[in-house]
Amino acid sequence: PTTDIVQLQLPQPQSNFTVKIFSTAGQCCLVFQNETKLSLSGLPAGTYVAELKTESGIFRTAFEKKQ
């Protein structure tokens, strides 16, 4: 679980990537371009899906945001 900041650790250096945060209803809540430190302070508590899109493909993982 996280409360505010998520720090991405990419297995390989990436020069061009996008991270999108989706609600469980599928609504895109936040978009980050080429950022590894993500501020989630504007999101209410709940479960979300992070989608990382790189030249290598698309990777998704669920996480919980707490207040």
Side-chain angles (χ1 to χ4, degrees):
T2 186
T3 56
D4 189 24
I5 301 291
V6 171
Q7 182 71 42
L8 293 181
Q9 294 182 346
L10 303 175
Q12 301 173 36
Q14 300 287 328
S15 59
N16 188 23
F17 63 93
T18 303
V19 178
K20 293 182 180 180
I21 307 298
F22 292 92
S23 69
T24 54
Q27 179 182 4
C28 184
C29 303
L30 296 171
V31 178
F32 301 92
Q33 187 70 39
N34 301 322
E35 295 181 53
T36 56
K37 189 174 183 180
L38 313 178
S39 174
L40 306 177
S41 60
L43 293 178
T47 301
Y48 295 89
V49 174
E51 176 184 275
L52 171 65
K53 184 176 182 181
T54 70
E55 294 173 0
S56 303
I58 298 175
F59 309 91
R60 292 181 187 91
T61 189
F63 68 93
E64 185 178 347
K65 163 97 172 26
K66 296 191 179 225
Q67 289 294 33

